[in-house]
Amino acid sequence: MKAYQIVDADFVKREIGRMPIVDVRPPLRYDTAHIPSAINIRLDVAASSDDPAEELAEMFQDNGIFPEDAVIVYCQMGVHAKIACDYLASAGYSKLYLYAGSMNDWMRDSARPVEASSVAFAKAS
């Protein structure tokens, strides 16, 4: 049995503000556009450590997301979110929801809300 369930944009949209949503992309991508209420927890930082699964779990816990909590994970295309879910599962997380389409899918529908960080605009000006 997989440690995560694959979910679609409708599921994610329903859970905005109700379930933690984690964007595992680098900050520049997150700052440019992300799903509302999503927090940025960098997979690249965890992946460069000696124990990526433990490091990622620690980063999630630092953000108040614990192994017993349900959480949605996404990235740009779904590949890195799946890796993150695999790491988290090996660290004891069991209520993982993988948004397989991730940001590429989310952006296909202009009716879906998107947030950008003010940091992105500060860098652009």
Side-chain angles (χ1 to χ4, degrees):
M1 188 180 115
K2 280 193 186 128
Y4 55 84
Q5 282 183 263
I6 293 175
V7 297
D8 62 9
D10 291 336
F11 179 92
V12 175
K13 194 171 181 182
R14 276 194 310 273
E15 295 302 327
I16 290 173
R18 295 171 50 184
M19 183 187 300
I21 301 174
V22 175
D23 183 324
V24 297
R25 300 175 300 161
L28 185 59
R29 289 213 170 214
Y30 172 83
D31 290 342
T32 304
H34 57 266
I35 295 170
S37 84
I39 59 170
N40 189 213
I41 300 178
R42 296 176 59 182
L43 176 63
D44 60 341
V45 171
S48 67
S49 73
D50 291 336
D51 186 347
E54 188 56 41
E55 180 67 23
L56 192 62
E58 199 171 290
M59 292 165 77
F60 268 61
Q61 289 167 31
D62 288 347
N63 282 277
I65 304 166
F66 298 93
E68 64 275 8
D69 297 329
V71 59
I72 297 167
V73 182
Y74 76 93
C75 58
Q76 191 66 39
M77 298 183 303
V79 175
H80 291 102
K82 181 195 177 305
I83 293 168
C85 284
D86 289 339
Y87 283 151
L88 291 166
S90 72
Y93 283 75
S94 58
K95 297 177 187 165
L96 299 165
Y97 295 91
L98 169 64
Y99 178 19
S102 286
M103 243 3 237
N104 284 358
D105 178 64
W106 189 261
M107 299 294 282
R108 281 194 189 107
D109 183 347
S110 61
R112 292 186 192 126
V114 174
E115 286 181 349
S117 303
S118 55
V119 168
F121 297 112
K123 287 178 185 166
S125 54

